[in-house]
Amino acid sequence: MPDQPHAAIARRLRRAHGHLETIIAMIEQGKPCAQVAQQLQAVEGAIENAKKALIHDHISRGLERTLKASGAKGQAALKEFRLIAKYL
């Protein structure tokens, strides 16, 4: 069974998938382009947030162990990396 952070990411992506199906239906029904574009932007945001969550989880769980083991220098590098990663 997947761990909690990845389960949350999978839920986000399932919601985005559902929105994409709705967008396809909107296009097939001839809905106005502005409405479709708005929904596409929402899906892009959801996917972007899922990507960020996955990367931040990797930083926290994977790199943190390695860098903490390398002492103060590793912890300083981890802190710096977290600061810059928020701009992903």
Side-chain angles (χ1 to χ4, degrees):
M1 179 169 180
D3 57 8
Q4 282 306 102
H6 290 173
I9 293 167
R11 280 193 304 276
R12 286 179 189 222
L13 292 174
R14 276 192 212 78
R15 279 195 302 271
H17 180 263
H19 287 296
L20 280 174
E21 289 178 345
T22 300
I23 293 167
I24 292 168
M26 290 173 71
I27 291 169
E28 291 172 345
Q29 296 165 4
K31 297 288 183 180
C33 289
Q35 288 180 5
V36 174
Q38 181 182 26
Q39 294 304 312
L40 284 169
Q41 183 177 8
V43 169
E44 286 176 345
I47 292 170
E48 181 72 20
N49 288 335
K51 179 185 81 171
K52 287 179 183 180
L54 182 70
I55 291 168
H56 287 280
D57 179 57
H58 176 73
I59 291 167
S60 293
R61 295 171 359 103
L63 295 178
E64 186 172 330
R65 280 190 301 258
T66 303
L67 291 174
K68 279 187 176 180
S70 64
K73 195 173 190 177
Q75 288 182 346
L78 178 61
K79 183 178 178 182
E80 185 177 331
F81 190 70
R82 280 188 174 151
L83 281 172
I84 196 73
K86 71 182 180 182
Y87 299 108
L88 288 173

